[in-house]
Amino acid sequence: MTAELRKRRQEELETALAEARAALDRKDLEAAVAAFERARAAGAAPKLVARDHALALSELGRHAEAVDAFRDWFAKRKKDGDTQNLMGVLLKRAGRLQKAVEVFERARQLQPKGLSPWQNLGNVHAQLGNHEEAVRCYRGALRLSPKSPDLWRLLGRSCLAAGRTEEAIASYRKGLALAPANQTLAALLLQALLQTRQWDEARSFIGGLCAAHPDDSEFAVLAARLAFRTGNTDTAVRQLDEVLAREPGNLSANLQIATIFADSDRRRANEALERAVAAHPQSFDALDRLIDSLVRSRYDSETAHLERAYVLSRRLVERFPSRIPDAARSLRMVFMRVMDEERMAATGSFHRLLPIWLGEMRHTAALHELGQISGMDDRLALVDWHRAWGRRVAAVVRPVTPVAMPALATGRKLRIGFMSSDLRNHPVTYFALPLFEGYDPEKVEVFCYSFSERRPDSLHRQIAGKVTAFRHWPKMADAAVAEGIAADGLDILFELGASTAMNKLEVMAYRPARLGASWVGYPHSAGLEQIDYILTDPYITPEDPRLLIERPFEMPETWVTLSRMFGEVEIAEDLPEARKGQLTFGTANNPYKYTPSCLDAWAAVLRAVPGSRFLFLRPEAAAASFVANSRAAFARRDVDPDRLDYIGVRGAHLKHYNEIDIALDTLPHTGGTTTCETLWMGVPVVSLVGPGFPERLSYSNLSNAGLGDLAVRTVDDYVAQAVGLAADRTRRQQLRHGLRAQIRSLPLGQPERFTRHFYDLATRVAAE
């Protein structure tokens, strides 16, 4: 290189560096990044550009590029603690949490008296769900900086996630002693007090804060949160409306309004969350909550809500890659529903996420994970997670004392209760209805408990007119519900909904009845050891007893029966194959059950039956994202995506089973209600039987409908059974118009027989 060329390169380098510094000074990160790239091209040494270039890229959300930009300098400075620490920060922002742990640990060793590596290491462990490790790190940081309110906050958060609630409360109090007006610490202390049911302490704490800071909106929001959690919803809404009248964009007030109306008025909840996101575009919590609410929204256009949730989910992943584990519950729900396999996989395995959800006590997150298993270790881990959740709930609950009743042997009536917010026009009630309509009032008293925040519908009113008592307690606090149930002196209380919307699973931890039982709403052990039984049958009961926490309340034939609510929807005269000229496989199952192994099996069937088609009968099928992603998923599996069909509908979907020749069940989590509907419409279902409860639902339905041969034990047999059934047009024709009558002659279709067996078994169990 000539001297003149070297001079010109040096001038280019100096100019680029000067432009980069000037751009940073005026906070023009895009210009700074461009200038740093020119400086690198001109030969700038890493020590001149690496740090600032990487930080500018990271601030722009280009986290993977930031790591690459810092890599050379990082490699040269293996023994410099500050360099190691910064690389850990960049890796954390890029979502590479395990690698960040390794780098932060090295930084901590290089800087034993450095506060930042301790804190950063604790933060990453907390995100990974390694709560005990996070506690260790924050304690290490506090030894260096004992007067940091923020460190006491972080320690308290991890203690709470680790189930060490009293230590968490003590940590928050120490932080507040150092910063008495710290709103975040106050909110966390209130959360811990509510989680441990320390109601009086919570009231005293919030009352003192509001008295000391009467004009502080954040403390007013905390008062509203306390009012809501203790059953005073009207007071909570009034307090929040007062805050929002002054500050329409107040983040915490809008988030709390969304919490209150999440189930009863989804539109109002979404309006609050949209205000929060608009006023706080950099708020992770607001964006995550909006995604979660949109994906659950059914009013107006469900498809439009789903598509917007998908757009926002991709935005969250790009903007907050290090927070993906924190948002995994909502992200996974969206990505499952639109069949985005790649992004779904990128949210992490359920083994990685379960500790996080346990720390947050998110029982609802586990429902969509029941099919995300591949071996016995996975199944046992899921059972252990539920048990650990239940023990944490029970640890902070004081059991109530049910009203004493004479022994059943004295001749009194059996008193049995059913607790669910779905005692309305809902699939749970479709199965439970025979028990409300067909019991013998001379022998049994039936009590129902609903917490639904929706206006009672006709089915709700019909049930109320049939049973001994119907308690409708919307938004009532758990402890009050437990006391109310205990006053009814029940022999057995069945919960029918676990932690699905508006249900109160935690009430079972209070033991409000002499015996507790679970049925139909949650196809797995719920986790509470205060639930003595789970209703099963000879087909559903797992062969390995480790896969249930409760004792089986085993019905002699079937765990469900078809009530009058399944109706008489007309079955088309001809097979779909005869009308269309090709055979159609299909499913109406929820996409959260479409695991990669399930899609593999479906694709194998389609490849084995040339010319056949596959129909998705789902609300999601109306969404462009679902169509695009499902086509891509089948194309990856060597199936022409033009063989896929879509009917996007919610509600009036039974008639569309007339478009399906053979239903292919999901696996490993099989259908339940969907399988019953499919069979009722004369459509055979091919299912795979697995070891666990959610893997045996269809096995029970098929066996109790006289089609047990369609439930097989291996994927190869699943494919072979589907192929064989496709070739057996005669059998399919017979089933199309004979299966409904066949069901009526067998346990699945005989509600009176089911009801008799249920109350006979309940009487025996209660008398033991």
Side-chain angles (χ1 to χ4, degrees), residues 349-360:
S349 69
F350 85 96
H351 278 291
R352 174 182 172 188
L353 297 170
L354 285 178
I356 297 172
W357 293 334
L358 180 61
E360 298 169 349

Side-chain angles (χ1 to χ4, degrees), residues 84-235:
Q84 298 294 311
N85 189 58
L86 178 54
M87 178 56 101
V89 170
L90 298 174
L91 289 164
K92 175 178 174 290
R93 292 180 181 177
R96 298 175 59 185
L97 301 182
Q98 293 290 358
K99 183 64 176 177
V101 167
E102 176 187 324
V103 174
F104 281 136
E105 187 62 47
R106 189 181 307 131
R108 188 191 63 77
Q109 292 171 4
L110 290 168
Q111 293 182 316
K113 294 185 178 180
L115 176 63
S116 185
W118 274 112
Q119 182 171 337
N120 286 332
L121 189 57
N123 292 344
V124 180
H125 277 305
Q127 281 190 262
L128 286 168
N130 303 330
H131 304 301
E132 292 292 351
E133 279 298 303
V135 168
R136 180 184 66 83
C137 292
Y138 293 138
R139 290 201 183 282
L142 280 163
R143 284 194 292 272
L144 300 171
S145 182
K147 294 186 178 181
S148 167
D150 196 48
L151 285 174
W152 286 111
R153 172 185 67 83
L154 293 170
L155 176 61
R157 183 190 66 181
S158 287
C159 284
L160 192 65
R164 296 157 65 168
T165 52
E166 292 306 318
E167 291 179 56
I169 290 170
S171 297
Y172 293 145
R173 290 194 185 283
K174 288 178 181 177
L176 281 167
L178 294 165
N182 188 298
Q183 297 161 344
T184 301
L185 276 166
L188 289 169
L189 177 54
L190 175 62
Q191 174 190 343
L193 292 171
L194 294 177
Q195 188 168 315
T196 53
R197 273 77 170 176
Q198 297 184 49
W199 312 117
D200 292 339
E201 184 67 23
R203 291 187 186 96
S204 174
F205 169 58
I206 294 301
L209 281 178
C210 290
H213 307 277
D215 298 323
D216 193 310
S217 296
E218 296 308 309
F219 295 143
V221 172
L222 293 183
R225 182 185 299 179
L226 174 61
F228 173 63
R229 286 291 303 274
T230 52
N232 300 310
T233 302
D234 291 341
T235 299

Side-chain angles (χ1 to χ4, degrees), residues 621-633:
S625 56
F626 179 91
V627 172
N629 289 330
S630 61
R631 287 174 61 86

Side-chain angles (χ1 to χ4, degrees), residues 378-599:
D378 288 357
R379 294 175 177 91
L380 293 174
L382 207 52
V383 172
D384 288 343
W385 184 91
H386 283 83
R387 183 182 286 109
W389 176 89
R391 287 176 175 172
R392 288 196 183 189
V393 171
V396 296
V397 163
R398 180 178 298 173
V400 296
T401 303
V403 169
M405 300 293 292
L408 281 174
T410 63
R412 70 166 174 86
K413 298 177 184 180
L414 173 72
R415 296 170 72 87
I416 192 164
F418 299 91
M419 184 179 79
S420 173
S421 292
D422 299 322
L423 300 177
R424 50 189 170 86
N425 191 0
H426 186 279
V428 164
T429 294
Y430 300 168
F431 293 116
L433 192 59
L435 302 183
F436 307 145
E437 295 183 335
Y439 72 97
D440 183 351
E442 296 298 317
K443 297 180 179 179
V444 181
E445 293 179 293
V446 174
F447 297 77
C448 288
Y449 307 91
S450 171
F451 318 110
S452 175
E453 298 166 20
R454 299 169 187 167
R455 183 174 300 173
D457 62 15
S458 59
L459 196 52
H460 172 127
R461 292 190 292 271
Q462 288 175 36
I463 296 168
K466 293 283 187 180
V467 299
T468 308
F470 194 112
R471 320 292 192 197
H472 186 205
W473 294 331
K475 295 187 183 296
M476 186 182 286
D478 291 355
V481 169
E483 292 284 358
I485 295 175
D488 286 331
L490 301 180
D491 294 295
I492 308 177
L493 173 63
F494 278 84
E495 69 84 18
L496 309 183
S499 55
T500 52
M502 295 178 283
N503 283 296
K504 289 183 174 293
L505 174 61
E506 289 88 341
V507 166
M508 300 297 286
Y510 289 83
R511 276 206 172 275
R514 189 161 58 84
L515 294 172
S518 179
W519 176 46
V520 85
Y522 191 71
H524 193 276
S525 290
L528 291 165
E529 290 165 311
Q530 292 73 23
I531 299 177
D532 304 281
Y533 293 94
I534 184 168
L535 194 148
T536 67
D537 64 29
Y539 307 99
I540 282 183
T541 302
E543 295 168 7
D544 188 332
R546 295 177 299 169
L547 295 177
L548 285 182
I549 295 172
E550 312 87 347
R551 286 170 284 172
F553 183 94
E554 188 169 294
M555 294 283 282
E557 296 171 331
T558 179
W559 86 307
V560 294
T561 189
L562 305 190
S563 71
R564 59 182 174 83
M565 297 305 297
F566 281 80
E568 296 293 335
V569 177
E570 184 179 358
I571 297 174
E573 183 175 348
D574 293 328
L575 292 174
E577 182 183 18
R579 288 183 276 111
K580 300 177 181 180
Q582 66 266 322
L583 183 134
T584 301
F585 295 101
T587 187
N589 271 301
N590 196 307
Y592 81 80
K593 302 177 184 179
Y594 301 176
T595 59
S597 59
C598 175
L599 297 177

Side-chain angles (χ1 to χ4, degrees), residues 293-313:
S293 189
L294 285 169
V295 77
R296 300 170 187 272
S297 296
R298 304 288 183 263
Y299 67 89
D300 295 343
S301 171
E302 179 178 351
T303 302
H305 296 313
L306 178 59
E307 294 287 30
R308 175 153 168 73
Y310 187 40
V311 169
L312 294 177
S313 295

